[in-house]
């Protein structure tokens, strides 16, 4: 549906579809009245300028590239700056970065400002757009179904909202009408209004929503939190959000599924609605085309067709890797192990089950306990580990350490478990049981820069082999961080120096760090242009402190090590999925579980074909044999090529007499008759070199 711009608002063109959206309930009107009163009081306080430059004070606005503009404190907004700059910025800008912090475009600047305007092409702009879309979906779902909104969230691929509807479920046939209602709501141009509210005010605003009250109790640790109004909806949300819903020109409701809420009254059933939204109808059309192409490369389809893996309801969220899938999995792990040996890492094995006291000591329990599997053994509560770092701290601390042992690089492929919600489980990309190429480096402050540089080089080496380009982002301290700001500043400055020295472009992600330290997030780009968060390099000054880790320094006194968390593949399961979809099941030879298919021309040479297969397998090459006597030679060759076998080795009477094979590639290039031993040697050379185009180089 094409979109038109009228009076500064994006409207859906074409005849409106039929929809039904009821008015707000009386109790919600009471909440809206309170919201407006609180917001008016907030605007009066802001206008007074208490503790800030008086309203109207001249301020300096610095722009990327060195440009400067004048402004007025508590009067000039980022949107006004965008309109002044022209060039379509006012239409494209979605949110602003003000002195490193994201904020709404209509929120006035308070003082001298470094200002960056962010559009949909940026991760921050896209996240704000999709979080705003989630508010639209939540507002409409409350009215459309008479539901209670529990929460909304933007994801890498769109957004979702969870609603409570009692025993009622959302049927697939209802989604088009829900989408129509969302379109009408967006076209109405409801403004997103922001309010900073105290905990007492929050409790009054959401007194009739037990789900939001529980969120306030569990998540709001500061004196105030941010609430947004969008039409009849009040939503606890940190923001920033769009200026108004009219900027959402296209919205597609994708799925409905079951989800669960764990509260004081036990587990309650919810409905999760997922959707995606865009600034234009053309963006939605482009997205749909990309989805159609991605569906052809869906790793779940590839896994089924190539017999790589499967899932079973008797072990939800845990993958069964079949022999071919296990070959890919183990080859990736062996690749990382070879790099570990070259880079001075020591592989260790740690337990799977720990007392919660370990996670309380590490600080994970208060941040992560709901995502952990815990159980009772006798009178003791135990938990499956969701990460390896606390165990590695125990390993460091189990005996006295000397500065001569540092840096100590511990690597661990141990099995991890995380209690992901049922509705979020998606093939290999979101599982409950997985392994990581997880490593932790204990080092001195003086060694820190060199170790981070080496971690980034590790990333570059591995991703070059896998054929991925990547982007880097420095994620700084989040709300609720552990430790003191001075330590965080030092850690963030160290990571920034390393990023500058690495020489590749990077961006800032304010507030996205882990609770224990800042990190470098690494997003790879696959063959379809999609981005995936896989690798990370994280600094941690907190955990060595919490575990009391020490080593004897060169001067003889005790010293505290610095901890670096790092992963390159990240979850091996997730990396298998990313690689499967990126190559479309056409695996590079070194990783392929379909390296060679031996094809006898006739049943009389099948014995020789089996000899060829045995020689290849004995040499470490994955080789299958097509002994189907009822199929023609042409059909067997075509079957192997469609299955994406890298090479087909055809044998007949002549090849048997000469000890040779006739070689073809999956692209039907005929490479001619070659000596079997030479073929084995060449396949091993190409495999061990991990080249991406073995068929071309053969």
């Amino acid at each position: 549906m094409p979109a038109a711009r009228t009076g500064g608002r994006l409207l859906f063109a074409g005849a409106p579809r039929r929809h039904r959206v009821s008015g707000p309930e009386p109790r919600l009107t009471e909440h809206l009245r309170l919201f407006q009163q609180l917001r008016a009081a907030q605007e009066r306080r802001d206008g007074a300028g208490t503790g800030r430059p008086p309203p109207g004070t001249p301020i300096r606005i610095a722009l990327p590239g060195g440009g400067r503009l004048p402004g007025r404190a508590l009067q000039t907004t980022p949107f006004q700056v965008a309109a002044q700059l022209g060039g379509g910025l006012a239409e494209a800008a979605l949110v602003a970065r003000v002195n490193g912090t994201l904020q709404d475009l209509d929120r006035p600047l308070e003082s001298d400002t470094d200002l960056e305007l962010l559009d949909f092409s940026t991760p921050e702009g896209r996240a704000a757009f999709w979080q705003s879309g989630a508010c639209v979906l939540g507002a409409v779902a409350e009215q459309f179904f008479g539901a209670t909104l529990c929460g909304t969230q933007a994801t890498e691929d769109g957004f979702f909202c969870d609603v409570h509807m009692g025993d009622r479920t959302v049927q697939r046939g209802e989604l088009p009408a829900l989408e129509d209602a969302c379109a009408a709501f967006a076209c109405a141009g409801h403004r997103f209004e922001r309010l900073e509210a105290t905990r007492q005010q929050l409790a009054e605003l959401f007194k009739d929503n037990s789900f939001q009250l529980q969120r306030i109790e569990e998540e709001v640790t500061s004196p105030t939190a941010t609430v947004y109004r969008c039409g009849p909806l009040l939503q606890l949300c940190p923001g920033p959000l769009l200026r108004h819903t009219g900027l959402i020109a296209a919205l597609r409701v994708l799925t409905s599924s079951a989800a669960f809420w764990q509260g004081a009254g036990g587990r309650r059933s919810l409905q999760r609605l997922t959707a995606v939204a865009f600034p234009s109808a053309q963006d939605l059309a482009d997205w749909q085309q990309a989805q159609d192409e991605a569906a052809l490369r869906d790793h779940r389809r590839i896994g089924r067709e190539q017999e790589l893996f499967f899932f079973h309801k008797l072990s939800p969220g845990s993958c069964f890797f079949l022999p071919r899938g296990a070959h890919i999995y183990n080859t990736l792990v062996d690749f990382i192990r070879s790099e570990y040996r070259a880079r001075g890492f020591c592989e260790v094995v740690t337990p799977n089950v720990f007392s919660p006291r370990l996670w309380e000591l590490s600080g994970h329990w208060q941040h992560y306990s709901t995502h952990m599997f815990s159980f009772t053994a006798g009178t003791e509560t135990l938990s499956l580990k969701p990460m390896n770092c606390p165990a590695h701290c125990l390993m460091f601390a189990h005996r006295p350490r000397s500065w001569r042992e540092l840096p100590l690089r511990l690597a661990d492929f141990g099995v991890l478990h995380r209690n992901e919600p049922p509705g979020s489980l998606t093939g290999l990309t979101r599982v409950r049981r997985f392994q990581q190429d997880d490593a932790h480096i204990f080092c001195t402050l003086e060694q820190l820069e060199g170790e981070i540089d080496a971690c980034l080089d590790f990333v570059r080496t591995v991703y070059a082999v896998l054929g991925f380009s990547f982007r880097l982002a420095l994620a700084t301290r989040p709300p609720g961080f552990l430790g003191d700001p001075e330590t965080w500043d030092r850690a963030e400055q160290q990571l920034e120096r390393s990023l500058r020295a690495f020489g590749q472009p990077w961006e800032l992600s304010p507030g996205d760090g882990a609770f224990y330290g800042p990190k470098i997030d690494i997003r790879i780009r696959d063959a379809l242009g999609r981005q995936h968060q896989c690798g990370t390099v994280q600094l941690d000054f907190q955990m060595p402190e919490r575990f009391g880790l020490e080593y004897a320094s060169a001067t003889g006194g005790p010293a505290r090590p610095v901890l670096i968390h790092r992963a390159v593949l990240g979850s091996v399961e997730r990396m298998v999925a990313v690689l499967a979809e990126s190559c479309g099941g056409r695996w590079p030879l070194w990783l392929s579980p379909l390296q060679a298919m031996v094809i006898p021309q006739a049943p009389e040479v099948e014995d020789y074909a089996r000899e060829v297969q045995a020689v290849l397998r004995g040499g470490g090459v994955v080789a299958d044999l097509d002994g189907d006597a009822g199929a023609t030679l042409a059909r067997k060759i075509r079957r192997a090529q469609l299955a994406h076998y890298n090479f087909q080795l055809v044998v007949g009477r002549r090849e048997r007499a000469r000890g040779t094979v006739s070689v073809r590639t999956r692209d039907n290039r005929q490479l001619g008759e070659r000596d079997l031993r030479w073929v084995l040697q060449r396949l091993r050379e190409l495999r061990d070199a991990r080249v991406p185009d073995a068929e071309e180089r053969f």
Side-chain angles (χ1 to χ4, degrees):
M1 183 185 308
R5 190 175 296 276
T6 304
R9 283 186 12 214
L10 279 171
L11 302 178
F12 287 74
R17 306 179 205 171
R18 294 188 177 275
H19 58 272
R20 175 178 295 177
V21 179
S22 61
E25 299 175 12
R27 63 175 175 81
L28 192 58
T29 302
E30 175 189 341
H31 294 174
L32 294 180
R33 188 180 304 115
L34 174 60
F35 178 91
Q36 294 307 123
Q37 292 171 355
L38 295 174
R39 194 162 189 275
Q42 175 179 278
E43 289 175 347
R44 288 193 296 271
R45 290 193 303 272
D46 292 343
T50 306
R52 293 171 291 190
T57 301
I59 60 172
R60 170 196 56 81
I61 302 172
L63 304 170
R68 292 177 182 272
L69 289 174
R72 298 284 180 179
L74 298 172
Q75 294 178 358
T76 303
T77 67
F79 180 74
Q80 290 170 345
V81 174
Q84 183 177 346
L85 292 172
L89 271 177
E91 290 76 19
L94 301 176
V95 292
R97 181 177 285 127
V98 177
N99 294 329
T101 301
L102 296 176
Q103 74 171 51
D104 302 329
L105 288 181
D106 282 338
R107 187 176 173 187
L109 304 175
E110 298 179 359
S111 59
D112 288 345
T113 297
D114 291 331
L115 176 65
E116 185 180 358
L117 300 169
L118 306 171
D119 62 14
F120 192 78
S121 67
T122 65
E124 299 89 347
R126 203 157 45 247
F129 194 96
W130 282 342
Q131 184 61 55
S132 303
C135 290
V136 169
L137 181 58
V140 172
E142 280 202 322
Q143 299 174 74
F144 195 86
F145 297 115
T148 300
L149 181 63
C150 305
T152 63
Q153 184 174 324
T155 66
E156 293 181 0
D157 306 312
F159 53 89
F160 67 82
C161 73
D162 290 336
V163 294
H164 179 62
M165 303 169 58
D167 295 331
R168 191 192 187 296
T169 60
V170 179
Q171 302 301 313
R172 184 169 184 83
E174 296 177 288
L175 298 186
L178 176 64
E179 187 175 303
D180 291 346
C182 289
F185 188 92
C187 286
H190 296 284
R191 301 198 68 81
F192 289 98
E193 300 177 272
R194 180 181 181 275
L195 170 69
E196 283 288 326
T198 65
R199 291 179 64 90
Q200 182 178 356
Q201 292 166 347
L202 291 172
E204 186 65 23
L205 286 167
F206 294 104
K207 65 181 180 181
D208 294 314
N209 188 324
S210 61
F211 301 96
Q212 298 287 3
L213 290 176
Q214 182 179 334
R215 285 188 60 203
I216 293 166
E217 186 66 29
E218 295 176 353
E219 300 176 16
V220 178
T221 57
S222 56
T224 63
T226 307
V227 180
Y228 279 87
R229 177 188 174 184
C230 178
L233 178 76
L234 296 183
Q235 170 68 359
L236 188 68
C237 174
L241 298 180
L242 305 183
R243 297 179 62 240
H244 58 82
T245 62
L247 296 169
I248 300 173
L251 187 148
R252 174 74 50 81
V253 181
L254 302 174
T255 64
S256 65
S257 60
F260 297 95
W261 182 280
Q262 190 65 45
R267 197 168 78 157
R268 302 173 71 180
S269 178
L270 308 180
Q271 287 289 289
R272 172 163 294 179
L273 300 165
T274 66
V276 69
F278 295 95
S280 74
Q282 185 58 51
D283 289 334
L284 176 59
D286 293 342
W287 173 86
Q288 187 60 59
Q289 182 176 349
Q291 293 301 113
D292 294 341
E293 183 176 354
L296 298 176
R297 294 175 176 238
D298 190 307
H299 72 277
R300 291 165 293 188
R301 182 185 65 81
I302 293 170
R304 182 174 61 253
E305 292 178 354
Q306 295 188 346
E307 295 189 53
L308 305 179
F309 59 83
F310 68 92
F311 289 87
H312 198 282
K313 64 182 179 181
L314 295 182
S315 185
S318 301
C319 182
F320 293 76
F321 279 95
L322 297 165
R324 289 175 177 172
H327 171 84
I328 298 169
Y329 198 102
N330 292 331
T331 302
L332 284 171
V333 171
D334 289 344
F335 175 31
I336 298 299
R337 282 190 169 125
S338 70
E339 290 293 324
Y340 282 160
R341 290 189 290 271
R343 296 172 184 270
F345 286 78
C346 302
E347 190 172 343
V348 298
V349 178
T350 52
N352 285 92
V353 178
F354 290 92
S355 164
R357 294 193 301 274
L358 175 70
W359 313 111
E360 292 168 357
L361 179 60
S362 69
H364 287 96
W365 192 257
Q366 69 181 95
H367 292 270
Y368 213 80
S369 59
T370 57
H371 299 287
M372 296 170 65
F373 287 103
S374 298
F375 58 94
T376 301
T379 60
E380 189 176 16
T381 298
L382 299 172
S383 299
L384 293 174
K385 66 177 178 181
M387 65 279 294
N388 290 308
C389 39
H392 291 181
C393 288
L394 294 181
M395 192 167 279
F396 184 94
H398 93 284
R399 67 167 175 79
R401 298 286 181 179
S402 165
W403 64 275
R404 298 180 186 276
E405 297 179 74
L406 304 185
L408 179 63
R409 308 181 186 98
L410 302 181
D412 197 333
F413 287 102
V415 174
L416 306 176
H417 288 85
R418 295 183 183 173
N419 188 11
E420 302 287 357
S424 69
L425 300 175
T426 312
L428 292 175
T429 59
R430 185 67 67 89
V431 292
R432 289 174 169 167
R433 184 270 186 206
F434 62 100
Q435 292 172 248
Q436 290 181 318
D437 61 332
D438 202 12
H440 297 91
I441 303 169
F442 301 87
C443 65
T444 68
L445 279 172
E446 294 75 21
Q447 295 166 337
L448 188 57
E449 184 173 353
E451 289 302 308
I452 295 172
D453 293 347
C455 288
L456 292 174
D457 180 71
F458 198 156
V459 166
R460 178 159 49 196
T461 298
V462 170
Y463 289 169
V465 172
L466 297 178
F468 295 133
S469 60
F470 60 93
R471 296 174 58 182
L472 303 169
L474 173 57
T476 57
R477 60 175 171 264
F481 63 88
L482 295 180
D484 60 90
E486 293 76 17
T487 300
W488 275 81
D489 289 340
R490 188 168 76 249
E492 290 169 3
Q493 290 162 9
Q494 177 60 70
L495 290 181
E496 184 172 345
R497 284 196 297 272
S498 294
L499 284 169
R500 294 188 187 281
F502 190 56
Q504 182 159 325
W506 58 279
E507 58 193 34
L508 193 66
S509 294
D512 284 343
F515 66 87
Y516 50 75
K519 60 180 179 173
I520 299 173
D521 281 332
I522 304 147
R523 299 180 66 86
I524 61 176
R525 183 179 293 272
D526 66 16
L528 295 175
R530 300 174 302 178
Q531 294 187 30
H532 306 272
Q533 172 68 55
C534 294
T536 188
V537 179
Q538 303 179 5
L539 267 190
D540 190 347
F541 290 92
Q542 311 305 324
M543 206 169 293
E545 189 79 28
R546 297 176 74 92
F547 278 86
L549 303 183
E550 291 183 345
Y551 65 92
S553 68
T555 60
R560 188 83 72 206
V562 179
L563 177 59
I564 303 173
H565 309 248
R566 51 104 281 160
V568 181
L569 300 180
S571 159
V572 183
E573 281 77 359
R574 179 176 172 86
M575 181 56 72
V576 170
V578 171
L579 286 166
E581 295 184 0
S582 187
C583 72
R586 294 168 59 88
W587 301 95
L589 178 71
W590 70 274
L591 201 53
S592 177
L594 307 165
Q595 292 174 345
M597 173 65 82
V598 183
I599 302 174
Q601 289 183 350
E604 63 190 73
V605 293
E606 186 172 326
D607 288 346
Y608 177 62
R610 296 196 179 279
E611 290 178 22
V612 170
Q613 181 188 26
V615 168
L616 294 173
R617 287 184 170 180
V621 174
V622 181
D624 294 324
L625 184 144
D626 188 344
D628 183 359
T632 64
L633 175 62
R635 183 181 178 188
K636 288 190 283 188
I637 291 172
R638 183 58 178 159
R639 193 157 55 192
Q641 291 171 348
L642 291 175
H644 301 315
Y645 279 88
N646 301 79
F647 295 93
Q648 299 91 53
L649 308 181
V650 180
V651 296
R653 287 194 296 267
R654 183 177 63 182
E655 286 80 9
R656 180 177 59 184
R658 298 181 179 183
T660 61
V661 293
S662 293
V663 184
R664 293 172 179 255
T665 72
R666 60 186 169 200
D667 294 319
N668 204 30
R669 292 178 60 239
Q670 299 185 38
L671 304 179
E673 186 179 352
R674 305 292 177 92
D675 179 79
L676 174 59
R677 296 293 173 180
W678 183 90
V679 168
L680 172 60
Q681 179 183 346
R682 185 58 179 155
L683 290 176
R684 293 177 62 178
E685 290 172 352
L686 294 169
R687 178 200 64 193
D688 295 345
R690 300 191 182 95
V691 297
D693 54 351
E695 298 80 11
E696 299 296 324
R697 300 186 185 212
F698 187 87

